Amino acid sequence: MKIPMVDLKTQYETIKDEVNSAVKEVIESTQFILGKKVSEFEKNCAEYLGVKHAIACASGTDALQIAMMALDIKPGDEVITTPFTFVATAETIAIIGAVPVYVDIDEKTYNIDPLKIEAAITPKTKAIIPVHLYGQSADMDSIMAIARKHNLYVIEDAAQSFGTDYKGKKVCGIGDIACTSFFPSKNLGAYGDGGMMFTNDDTLNQKLRMIAAHGSKERYVHEVLGVNSRLDTLQAAILDVKLKYIDKWNKARAKNADLYREKLKDAKAVTPYVAEYSTHIYHQFTLRVENRKGLAEHLTSKGIPSAVHYPIPLHQQPAFKDDSRKFDLPVAEKIAKDVISLPMFPELTEEQIDYIANAIKEFVGTK
Ligand SMILES: *Cc1c(COP(=O)(O)O)cnc(C)c1O
């Protein structure tokens, strides 16, 4: 059996008519940059997530950078984050001249460990960026309490968690700003790049919009230095169709995760843990195993792809090699060696999950 890591083709088949007519409508309108479709999609996202403002931009990476610019994070300022995430989280901190400070992760959730944050705070610390990794919320009440006590901003990196609930409410409205990505393989994925920022603060809403539009509110009047970061109108039209299905798709992912868990319950592998305060929308279904490389090769030989999110914690990345600081991050370093992500998408069938689980058990053995 040959199984894809994600199956965007099968998903497209289920929404083809709606997507095609939405695309055609934009082309016929010739409104290719911003316009009504982008504002409508922003409004629908804000409503879905229960947050006051949504500001579209060109990618999740841009969203993080613009968020920090809007919070006036300056060269030399320190920003606390997790080392166990996609590079964009720390890359954007460094690219604006600020300094990423890594705090180790929790061994069960793989998200930043709030118990270790306070020790990393210095007079230069300006913000904390928790990542809701793999589709599960970080421990937000603990993080917000620390941030309020020390007068720090919080930017949620929700690139992997569009629709995750934290204590019964969607993530993205908890921190000062939240950022997400519409990269095609994310849970709400465009047919190209895209991103969005969220805030409940009216002043920040204005600042985020202005920075994303060359620092301008009024045409050709530039109040601050900004960037050019827009969500394509075509992508907004496609995403607005897909937004209607996000709950259904996230539920289908969770059902697939339950099937994986059930079929792997006696396998020598650690399946994802779900904290009591969060739902999980399984952007990734990630196991921990002893011999990851061997398992990946065995799966490949059976037509099953797998991936590693992420093999190198950010403090050990070549891009940060000139950074001479020493970090004590044993949990992130250990977990980065063991994790392996399995095929995960809403349309995965029970037959496929069965086949994958059996192939895994064949290799890792049972407890
Ligand atoms: C995907 C991702 C990003 C970046 O999003 P892009 O749209 O690809 O720029 C940032 N942070 C995390 C955790 C991600 O998974």
Side-chain angles (χ1 to χ4, degrees):
M1 201 187 288
K2 198 148 170 33
I3 298 171
M5 196 69 191
V6 290
D7 189 351
L8 299 176
K9 184 75 204 287
T10 298
Q11 183 176 82
Y12 172 60
E13 293 299 334
T14 68
I15 52 171
K16 195 171 187 166
D17 292 345
E18 275 183 283
V19 167
N20 288 2
S21 75
V23 167
K24 190 159 164 262
E25 211 176 291
V26 173
I27 296 174
E28 284 177 350
S29 78
T30 72
Q31 170 93 62
F32 297 118
I33 301 293
L34 302 178
K36 190 164 121 265
K37 206 64 238 182
V38 175
S39 343
E40 272 173 19
F41 177 58
E42 287 178 337
K43 195 169 141 279
N44 292 337
C45 284
E47 206 163 286
Y48 173 78
L49 295 169
V51 54
K52 196 163 174 195
H53 304 286
I55 306 98
C57 64
S59 71
T61 306
D62 275 7
L64 288 163
Q65 180 177 334
I66 296 165
M68 282 183 269
M69 290 169 77
L71 295 171
D72 286 323
I73 293 172
K74 294 269 187 303
D77 288 345
E78 293 177 2
V79 179
I80 290 174
T81 192
T82 163
F84 193 58
T85 173
F86 180 60
V87 69
T89 317
E91 180 186 44
T92 47
I93 299 171
I95 220 85
I96 63 164
V99 182
V101 173
Y102 302 108
V103 165
D104 211 358
I105 56 172
D106 176 82
E107 183 150 9
K108 288 203 287 203
T109 64
Y110 315 140
N111 278 322
I112 193 166
D113 186 345
L115 295 175
K116 296 179 185 155
I117 291 177
E118 278 194 296
I121 295 173
T122 76
K124 289 184 178 163
T125 309
K126 287 283 149 55
I128 308 172
I129 307 186
V131 177
H132 306 308
L133 196 74
Y134 299 155
Q136 170 167 229
S137 176
D139 180 354
M140 291 309 292
D141 280 354
S142 309
I143 294 167
M144 294 309 292
I146 295 165
R148 295 302 171 240
K149 179 172 159 199
H150 296 272
N151 205 16
L152 307 175
Y153 295 115
V154 173
I155 302 171
E156 298 174 65
D157 182 342
Q160 304 188 1
S161 296
F162 192 96
T164 299
D165 288 348
Y166 173 79
K167 296 192 175 171
K169 190 178 168 298
K170 299 261 175 277
V171 299
C172 288
I174 306 169
D176 298 281
I177 301 177
C179 299
T180 201
S181 161
F182 303 122
F183 185 82
S185 65
K186 303 282 158 107
N187 286 35
L188 181 60
Y191 294 165
D193 275 307
M196 197 170 266
M197 303 166 286
F198 306 96
T199 185
N200 286 311
D201 183 299
D202 297 345
T203 310
L204 280 177
N205 170 47
Q206 295 239 329
K207 263 178 131 175
L208 292 164
R209 280 189 194 284
M210 197 158 76
I211 293 166
H214 295 290
S216 166
K217 272 195 292 219
E218 189 185 331
R219 185 175 279 193
Y220 304 130
V221 181
H222 303 276
E223 298 178 28
V224 293
L225 291 181
V227 295
N228 173 24
S229 188
R230 297 183 283 245
L231 179 66
D232 273 0
T233 311
L234 276 170
Q235 298 302 341
I238 294 163
L239 286 162
D240 206 33
V241 169
K242 295 185 80 175
L243 179 63
K244 291 189 278 184
Y245 299 93
I246 191 66
D247 277 339
K248 181 177 159 211
W249 289 333
N250 281 345
K251 275 196 198 109
R253 286 173 183 271
K255 181 163 164 272
N256 294 338
D258 288 344
L259 284 172
Y260 264 132
R261 216 180 249 110
E262 172 63 25
K263 292 174 198 294
L264 290 169
K265 67 175 186 294
D266 54 349
K268 263 198 225 146
V270 181
T271 53
Y273 168 85
V274 186
E276 84 288 346
Y277 50 72
S278 181
T279 59
H280 204 315
I281 59 159
Y282 299 97
H283 172 60
Q284 302 296 344
F285 187 88
T286 303
L287 299 179
R288 281 168 61 202
V289 295
E290 254 166 41
N291 178 3
R292 167 173 78 201
K293 188 159 174 282
L295 175 60
E297 283 165 8
H298 177 72
L299 292 176
T300 302
S301 77
K302 300 255 167 185
I304 304 165
S306 62
V308 176
H309 306 101
Y310 295 90
I312 309 173
L314 298 187
H315 64 292
Q316 296 176 330
Q317 286 288 351
F320 293 110
K321 68 178 182 310
D322 294 339
D323 185 341
S324 58
R325 291 170 300 161
K326 290 272 170 284
F327 288 103
D328 185 29
L329 306 165
V331 183
E333 287 174 17
K334 182 175 82 173
I335 285 175
K337 290 192 173 73
D338 298 342
V339 285
I340 179 165
S341 302
L342 305 180
M344 174 50 90
F345 47 92
E347 301 79 11
L348 201 60
T349 65
E350 178 156 10
E351 193 193 357
Q352 289 172 317
I353 296 170
D354 217 30
Y355 177 77
I356 298 166
N358 285 335
I360 292 167
K361 281 194 277 191
E362 242 170 54
F363 186 83
V364 301
T366 49
K367 292 188 244 205

